[in-house]
Amino acid sequence: MGFSENTTGLVLAMVSSLFIGTSFILKKKGLKRATAAGTRAGVGGYTYLLEPLWWAGMITMIVGEVSNFVAYIYAPAVLVTPLGALSIIISAVLAHCMLRERLQRLGVVGCILCIVGSVVIVIHAPQEHMPTSVQEIWILAIQPAFVIYVAATISIVAALMFHYEPRYGQTNMLIYLGICSLMGALTVVSIKAIGIAIKLTLEGISQIAYPQTWFFLAAAVICIITQLNYLNRALDTFNAAIVSPIYYVMFTTLTIIASAIMFKDWAGQDASSIVSEICGFITVLSGTILLHLTREQEPANPPGNISWYDGEDIKVMEDGHYIMLNDSNYFR
């Protein structure tokens, strides 16, 4: 007995979360080892490129992202996107076990909320109609409701990029995250269209000759580049512990909205199923925020200062000058 398309998408999304969550830990362990042998990546070091664990994490992440990409081909975004929260649970649990990063009680509550919300979404997820050609996807893309959504998205992004970002980008993280999330939602629907085109081509129904296929590919590339550019700016400017949950909430919400408009994910579902999915989604978001906000922050030396203990005195290199302190002066 074969699996339904939703089941296939569900399994791929869970495999993706497992690989991506594990990749964070592998890369972090690799970075820690590289830091012990050379310069930190955060201050321009590249010794992590010689660390096998970091490469293992990178390969694991690529496998996870490919699985996530394929999951969108088989299942609606309302099912696949929220399940990305499972990778946060996996990385939090593995960090607790392997990196000795303490998982606080509220963090455990966050894990439970993510699991409960995910189960609710899986139970009530809609069955998606699989388009039979890229032209059929194009018809969905040019329907008035989705055209209005895309036009509104592009207008808002343009306003944020050219008017608000120069004035408020360094003080308000919602500017950067708004651009990332809006473009990210368009990235997902474009990638889903490309994935379906690839699937049909592999099944013998070639979609390469259609200009719509290349349009979706170009749109995906532009959206991904813009999304990553502004996400990096947000992470470089603001606290990652705050950026991550807010970005997850905005990106996931807008992705589900965009997919629901274009692919009509909720068509044919009754009101109770839709309400249950929304409640499950809100539960996952709440758990994700708890997990991020309760995780421990790593201690770091002030920028430009390096300190060490030589057995007698504590030495500090500050702005290129050596300063020797005894214990009573240093621990005050």
Side-chain angles (χ1 to χ4, degrees):
M1 184 177 67
F3 291 111
S4 68
E5 292 190 342
N6 262 23
T7 303
T8 302
L10 168 64
V11 172
L12 287 168
M14 294 178 69
V15 169
S16 169
S17 294
L18 174 63
F19 276 94
I20 291 174
T22 304
S23 74
F24 292 147
I25 306 306
L26 292 175
K27 289 201 295 183
K28 188 161 186 177
K29 285 184 72 70
L31 288 170
K32 284 180 175 292
R33 286 188 181 182
T35 298
T39 308
R40 290 181 57 209
V43 293
Y46 294 98
T47 52
Y48 63 88
L49 294 175
L50 302 176
E51 178 55 52
L53 262 182
W54 185 87
W55 282 107
M58 198 66 187
I59 293 170
T60 305
M61 173 167 280
I62 291 171
V63 173
E65 293 295 351
V66 170
S67 298
N68 192 55
F69 169 77
V70 179
Y72 278 111
I73 299 174
Y74 291 97
V78 70
L79 171 61
V80 176
T81 307
L83 290 180
L86 296 180
S87 66
I88 300 172
I89 297 176
I90 292 167
S91 63
V93 173
L94 290 178
H96 178 78
C97 299
M98 299 175 63
L99 299 177
R100 302 186 183 279
E101 294 182 0
R102 183 168 169 265
L103 184 60
Q104 301 179 16
R105 291 181 180 179
L106 279 179
V108 175
V109 173
C111 290
I112 295 172
L113 287 175
C114 287
I115 294 171
V116 171
S118 297
V119 170
V120 172
I121 291 172
V122 169
I123 292 173
H124 296 280
Q127 291 292 330
E128 188 176 45
H129 165 69
M130 177 64 69
T132 57
S133 72
V134 74
Q135 290 177 311
E136 185 177 339
I137 304 174
W138 181 255
I139 291 172
L140 295 173
I142 61 174
Q143 60 183 316
F146 190 70
V147 170
I148 292 172
Y149 174 83
V150 172
T153 296
I154 293 174
S155 299
I156 295 171
V157 167
L160 290 174
M161 289 174 63
F162 299 113
H163 179 74
Y164 292 99
E165 192 270 334
R167 294 170 174 80
Y168 311 110
Q170 296 296 311
T171 57
N172 190 335
M173 74 174 68
L174 294 180
I175 306 297
Y176 290 144
L177 295 183
I179 297 172
C180 294
S181 303
L182 288 164
M183 297 304 287
L186 296 182
T187 298
V188 170
V189 295
S190 299
I191 284 179
K192 186 175 180 71
I194 296 166
I196 293 172
I198 293 173
K199 178 176 180 287
L200 292 171
T201 300
L202 294 176
E203 291 175 350
I205 310 172
S206 178
Q207 306 295 305
I208 297 176
Y210 294 112
Q212 293 92 335
T213 301
W214 300 102
F215 175 86
F216 285 125
L217 179 60
V221 170
I222 293 171
C223 291
I224 289 171
I225 292 173
T226 306
Q227 180 185 358
L228 292 179
N229 179 32
Y230 283 92
L231 180 58
N232 286 333
R233 293 191 189 188
L235 290 171
D236 187 54
T237 307
F238 303 100
N239 189 333
I242 304 299
V243 169
S244 297
I246 293 177
Y247 174 61
Y248 178 82
V249 170
M250 294 176 67
F251 168 72
T252 306
T253 302
L254 290 169
T255 296
I256 290 175
I257 291 172
S259 181
I261 294 173
M262 179 172 172
F263 293 100
K264 297 181 170 59
D265 291 336
W266 286 326
Q269 280 199 299
D270 55 33
S272 63
S273 294
I274 295 174
V275 171
S276 297
E277 289 170 41
I278 293 173
C279 290
F281 174 56
I282 293 173
T283 304
V284 170
L285 294 184
S286 302
T288 303
I289 292 172
L290 270 180
L291 266 173
H292 276 287
L293 296 183
T294 59
R295 70 182 184 183
E296 291 184 333
Q297 297 299 306
E298 293 186 5
N301 289 323
N305 295 353
I306 301 175
S307 60
W308 69 94
Y309 180 63
D310 67 354
E312 298 177 357
D313 298 292
I314 293 173
K315 298 178 181 179
V316 179
M317 187 175 74
E318 182 175 355
D319 298 328
H321 301 286
Y322 290 101
I323 302 173
M324 187 177 295
L325 303 172
N326 58 38
D327 291 354
S328 60
N329 288 333
Y330 189 74
F331 297 105
R332 63 182 182 274

